[in-house]
Amino acid sequence: MTASRPDLAWILDGLVNAPHARHALLLSADGLPVAHSDGCHTDLADKIAATVSGLQALSRSGGLFVSDENTTWQQTMVQYGAGYLFVIAAGSGAHLVASAGADVDIAGFSYRMADIVKRLPEALAVAPREHSPQG
């Protein structure tokens, strides 16, 4: 099930069919949930969207620690006692977020996420929000 773009359900549900995967979200670059996998309720999607927005901003600024030259952020992974949170740059203006249990094959799951982004960049793209004039 998706929050607002039902055509993305097959992408996110396919990702969570991986062994030990739990949930998947597509977020806009400004931190709004665009779609979520079946089993990830809207309240959880909203909470994780806010969390990932901050996490992604911090991860971008960490590039200065990695290189003296300007480098682009690509992926963040956070390990918890019970599993992992993965965030990767997706289509234009979007981030793909997924969670998996502690027994997940980290490299395999990261590759699976990157492969989805590589194969379906247009489907994952999120247009910038249009701001309404103040009245």
Side-chain angles (χ1 to χ4, degrees):
M1 183 165 116
T2 63
S4 63
R5 290 172 51 170
D7 54 314
L8 295 178
W10 67 275
I11 297 171
L12 300 175
D13 290 340
L15 181 58
V16 298
N17 283 335
H20 308 289
R22 296 200 58 210
H23 303 295
L25 299 169
L26 181 66
L27 304 179
S28 65
D30 58 355
L32 296 176
V34 175
H36 55 84
S37 61
D38 192 32
C40 179
H41 55 81
T42 303
D43 289 342
L44 178 59
D46 288 342
K47 184 175 185 175
I48 296 307
T51 301
V52 167
S53 182
L55 178 63
Q56 199 276 330
L58 290 170
S59 296
R60 278 185 191 269
S61 67
L64 298 171
F65 193 65
V66 174
S67 174
D68 291 335
E69 298 177 17
N70 190 16
T71 185
T72 57
W73 169 85
Q74 295 178 343
Q75 178 177 4
T76 299
M77 182 192 76
V78 180
Q79 181 177 4
Y80 298 90
Y84 301 88
L85 174 69
F86 299 86
V87 184
I88 68 169
S92 177
H95 302 93
L96 182 59
V97 181
S99 64
D103 293 330
V104 71
D105 171 7
I106 296 169
F109 194 68
S110 291
Y111 176 82
R112 187 175 184 144
M113 290 179 71
D115 187 55
I116 288 170
V117 170
K118 182 179 176 182
R119 289 185 298 112
L120 304 167
E122 294 84 19
L124 298 175
V126 176
R129 285 189 286 169
E130 293 183 26
H131 297 284
S132 61
Q134 301 234 347

